[in-house]
Structure formats: structure tokens, C-alpha cells
Amino acid sequence: MALPMLPGNSLNKNLGKDKFHKSQHFDYSNGVRMMVGSGKPGIGGELLLGQKSQPNYSVFPNGEGSDTPSWVAFDKQVLSFNAFFQEAVPQKREEKYRVRKCKIYFYLEDDTIQVVEPELKNSGIPQGTLIRRHRIPLPPPDDECFYTVHDFNINQQMVLYSRTFMVTDCDPFTRNFLRKMGVRLNPPTSTPLDPYSNLRQEMEKSMKPLRPYERLDTLKQFLDHDRNVLRFFCHWDDSENMFGDPRELTLHYFLADDTIEIREVIYPNSGRDATPKFLHRSKLPKHSPNPKRQPGDITDRTVLNVFGPMGQGGRYILDSLKTGAVHEQFYKDSDLTLGGMVNVWGRRVVICDCDNFTKEFYRSKYGIEDFSPVQYKAPLAPKPPRPVPPYNGFGSEEDSLCSCQGLLPKPPQKDFRKLMEKDRQGLESNVLRFMGKMVTENPIDRDRLFIISFYLSDDTICVYEPPQRNTGVLAGKFLERGRVKKPGQELFKSEMSQYFSAQDLYVGARISLNNQGFQLIDADEYAFNYMEQHAEEFPRANMGSIISKIRSIPEDKQNEIKQFLTLSDPGNTGLIPYEPFRGLLVGLECGLSEHEVMMLGRCFCERQQPEAEVGLMLAVAQDHLRKKHFESFSDMTRGVLHTLRTICKAFQLPLAEDLLRALLKKFDAGSEEMDYHAFLAGINWRENPAPPVLPDDFNVDWSREARDPEVKSINYSVLLEDVFGSVNTNSNQPNTLTNPTL
């Protein structure tokens, strides 16, 4: 009985249901996360319209195989089958059907199929990929399913999109794979013959001549010697003719096809037109000039006994003896030798020289070793010297010289390579700084100090006067940076003036900068280190030459040096102060400059590292902690059972690494023990405040590793051993110690 569709008259379909979830669209397929929402049921697991329930079982038993996804396990593994299909041809008389062979590829990683037909020459039909790679559904009524590996076997038919394919055979990999899968393979079958293809093969076979033609194979020579060219430098004397003169030619022999090309060497302002080629690339006959031949006189073959109509239907035979052939000799690579003559269409060209590749080719192929060139022209006369006018005083000397070297003046070129190598690079300044004094009789100027800086990048000098209290002299820049000429040179001359170089500056040297004399009395640490590292450029910093000068002094002075050093050390410690050592070398007049004496002191000094002050270190540490508002001292005291350094890292103590390392070293009590009470009390700025520190104290190098110690005493025992051989006479090299600061 039909009831109206009113509330209360229809049954509730949800009665008795306890699942109302909505199926998610993402799941695992073959171990890979992917979207599979199209096959999922509706709300509560009910099938939608058109859906069929999928069986929850597999053809393989549980526990076999690996959990690797299929796209990893079967990567690059393809099953290959040989197949064919018949295609009806109703529009042709010659054939009724056509048998087309193809390959069926099944990709195991994603169950996709691809059908490819091999391309045949002049088939007239589109071939190649017949079915692109994708999953192919089964024929109706099972079109909701797709082909799998279990649907394949040989000697059976397959329907792919309403086209029937007959699978005939497969490759060995496919055969072994299917056998391991448990598939019983059918015996292979053969592909039927295509009548039209057989007819085409017979027609092509009948078109071939019964006797093969002669074949001139030049491909091997081309592949072996492509882009290999022999180059010869030749000479042609045309002075016998009117208005003729000697010519220089360049002959190119191409090994790929034995052709020759000749180009003429035309120099600037020679009065000749620059023609592109003297001889176009072609084979050059030996015996020329020959009479011009008409087209058809020279052929590759000779035809005999021609009868019948011309073209199709005619009869002829080829002359195998080549009785009517024209033989003409051409130049080969074996005919081209140095000193030989080449007949270039009546012109006698002499080969004079060749390049390196040509020499190596003849040396390896023909064993020729003599490649002496042929002199065909007189050597060029030396160019007369070009006098340079003297300097006129306008601009710099380099700028005036450039104006004399051409009609269009160019600015003088600087040494760009030296500028890039010796320019400032990070902390490497490449600037040598010396301390100097004025050489004058004025008592006021005699005590003035100057900093003389030499820039290695462009050999310029700058002089700066630092401020001094109660001198009455304004400090600042004394000499602008620039190149300074050496004194005693003529101003207006043709030669270039000489400028001060880095080798002219050393401790003890007297230099004149713009008629003002200076004496260099000291240098900074960078200057000393740079001279020692580049001792081959600075002879006064070369320890080998310095020791050679000391060894060359007379024997009486050597004994005097040994006696003085022995008397200056009554305690026999092997050390003497630096000042008596310097006074000894200066008083003996050994020919050593002040810089060389300082180099000896730096080499044979006794190293002493100054100790850092603990109070200053604690004051700097407290200042850092106060600025960072660090107050976790009580927690650090409770955690001292662990390593103190680890505790400082754990509490993120805001101190520099070198300052923390120096403090821990100072409070180290030895025997792997640490006085942590004193350390924590020292850095506690709340309970034990330290006096304030100056801004300059923050830039102290607490590690003391980069700073070199000062020279206070000289190890004269090592000096005597290295110089005079008092201990080991076979030692000729100085002792290499760390270079300290003077």
C-alpha cells in the first residue's frame, strides 16, 4: 500500500546501523601511499551505485616476498613479447590483408602495457608506438579490470582495444620470470608470412645488378684524418717576370681527402690586394698544365658494346680492364718534403718549413728526423734605436714618455699583477712601517719621531709624525703618499729616474726624502716578519748572508768575540744581555748594519713570555658578566661536582673563549684539581666587585699566542756553534727559532 511521502509514513533506513563514517580517499597500494578514493565505498561502508565488492584475498600466500614497493622491487624490469596482428586492406589489388609484427612490453612496476611496431623502410604506413604506455582494461564485460601479469602467455590471443594480437614468443627473461610465477608456458609459434612483403623483397632483389659495381670507399680515410691538416711554409720567386717579386705562401694539405689549398701571406703596407686564396682547395696534379677536357671525358667507368634503346631496355657491359680510362697523378703527402718543389699550375713553389704537427706526422709515419728549414730570405735588419727626448718637466716622466711613443697618447700602465698580489688582504696589510728621525743639526728637529710607511703594492712612501707632548710641533701628515725619487739624479734627462724600493729601507739606513734626510731607527713586527719570510728579496734579513759576513772576519776578531762572550757570562749560563752583544758587533766593525744585528738577536734570543695579571683578568670578566646580567653563581656552586669547564658551558657563561681559558688556567691547582671556590668568588661581581677597567683593557689578547716575546738575552752558545762551529763544525745552517719582537 503506497503511503504519502510525509513525515512518519516512511521507514528509517538508518535503523540498526552503527557505522556512519565516511571513507577516506588515501590508503596504501603496493606499499605506497596514494589516493584511492575512486574505489572506496560510501558512508558506513555501503557500496555506491556501479561499485562491486572487491575480494580481500591474494593469489600469493602470506609471508612470501618482501615488503618493498613494486616500483622499487620491479624497477626497470619489463616483460617483452613478440606478437602480430592482421589488418585488412580492401582498397588495394596487390594485397588483401597485411601481417604487421609488433612488440608488447609489460612493465612490472605499475602493470602498464606498451605496443611498439618496428619501422620498415618504405612501408607507407605510420609505424612506431601503436599504443602508448598505460594500463589497458580487459575486453567487455570485464572492462572494469585491467591486464595483469597473469593474463599473459605465449601462443594465445589478446584483445587490446578491439584489436586482436597473437602472442608468438617472448625473450629469455620473460620466460624465466613467468616460470617462477608458476605460469605454464605454451609452445611458441611462428609468425605467418606477409604476401605483400615477400613481393616487395623479390622486386628489390631483382633491381640489384648481377655483378656489383666498383666501390671507391673513402669514408675510412675521412673518419681517420678529419680535421687533420698539414701546414707548410713555402716560397715562390716571381722576380723573373715583369713587376714580379718573391712571394710567401702557406700550403695546407688536407689528409681527409688529399686536397691542397694555398694562401698568400700579405704583410701590411705591401701594396697588394688581400686575396682570400692563392689556390682553391682541390687535388693538385703533378704534371700541369694539362689540356682542358670536356665534361664526360674523365669518368669513373668505361662502357662497352652499347646497343638497344638508351635507358631502360638497353644492353651494355663494363670495361673491367679500363682500357679507355685516363690516369692522372696528383700530389700526395709523400711528395711534400722540405726543400722540395711543387708545381702549382706552372709555378715553381719551394717548401721551406712546416709546423710542429706536420713534423710529428712525418716522424711517426715515414721516420723522417731531419726538418732543417730552408732559408729563402735575408734576416731582418735590426731596428735602429729610437732616441727618447729628455724630460721637459710637465707631468710625470712616465706620462711624458707615453706621449712620445705614439700619435695618440695613452696613460702609463701600472703593474696590475703586483697591485693584486701586494694589496691589503684581510689582516695582511703589505705595508712596511719604520720609525725614523731627522738627520739635522737643529736640536728641536733632532728629537722628532716619524713613522715612514712603504706600500708594497705600488712602491709609494708616506711619512706621518705622531703627536709628542711639549715639543711645540704640530703632528700629522708630513709627506703625502707617492713615489719618491732617489737623490743625486739629473732632472731633465732621457733615462727614467730611479725611485726608492723596499730593499732601500732597513733599520740603520739613511734616506733622503725630497731633500730631507731621515735615519731609520726601528721597524714594526710585521716589517721584520715580512723581511724574514722574503729573505731572497731582502739581503739584510737573510741569515745565511749575515752569518757568512761574521765568518769572513779575521781570526783575531773571531777570538776576541769568543773571549768577550765568555767573560760576559761568569755563571756559564750560555746567555748574555742584548745590549752588550749589540755593542760588541758594532764596535768590531764587522760590516754589519743595525738591521742585521737585530736579525741576529731575533734569531738567537732567549724566549720569555710575560705573565698575565689575574686581577685585570677578573675585572674584565666581572664587567662582561655585569653587562649580561649573569647572576647564576649559586647554581654553579651546587654543580661543581662535574668539570668546571663543562659547567661554564652549561650555564652559558658570557665570556670570550680565550679569557675563560686563561682564567681556568690561573686557578688550576695542579694534579688535575681546580680551586673552584676562588674562581667563583673572583667572578662574582655581586659579592666581590672589582675596580673598573679602562676601555683599552678589553682589547688585550689573553691567549698570548699571537704576540711574540721581547728580546732580553742572547743564547751565545748556539750562536758560536752555528757560526764558528765550536761544538759541531759540520753545522752550516743557523738555528731556526721563533722570531720575537725587538
Side-chain angles (χ1 to χ4, degrees), residues 35 64 108 114 131 171-172 178 243 245 300-301 347-348 407 410 437 481 508 571 573 589 595 601 667 698 729:
M35 191 177 80
E64 294 187 5
L108 296 172
Q114 182 184 14
I131 302 177
D171 59 354
L178 293 178
F243 308 111
D245 55 355
D300 296 336
R301 304 175 183 87
R347 297 168 179 83
R348 300 171 59 87
L407 296 177
K410 297 181 180 179
K437 286 187 176 182
R481 177 180 175 180
T573 60
E589 298 180 356
H595 193 99
F667 288 94
F698 288 96
T729 58

Side-chain angles (χ1 to χ4, degrees), residues 62 109 160 176 222 323 337 439 547 740:
N62 294 330
E109 54 181 327
L160 305 179
N176 296 333
F222 173 78
T323 56
T337 58
V439 180
I547 293 179

Side-chain angles (χ1 to χ4, degrees), residues 254 409 671 691:
F254 297 87
S671 301

Side-chain angles (χ1 to χ4, degrees), residues 324-345:
V326 178
H327 299 281
E328 193 170 6
Q329 296 182 356
F330 298 95
Y331 279 101
K332 301 289 184 181
D333 54 350
S334 59
D335 302 325
L336 305 178
T337 58
L338 295 185
M341 190 271 298
V342 179
N343 185 7
V344 183
W345 300 103

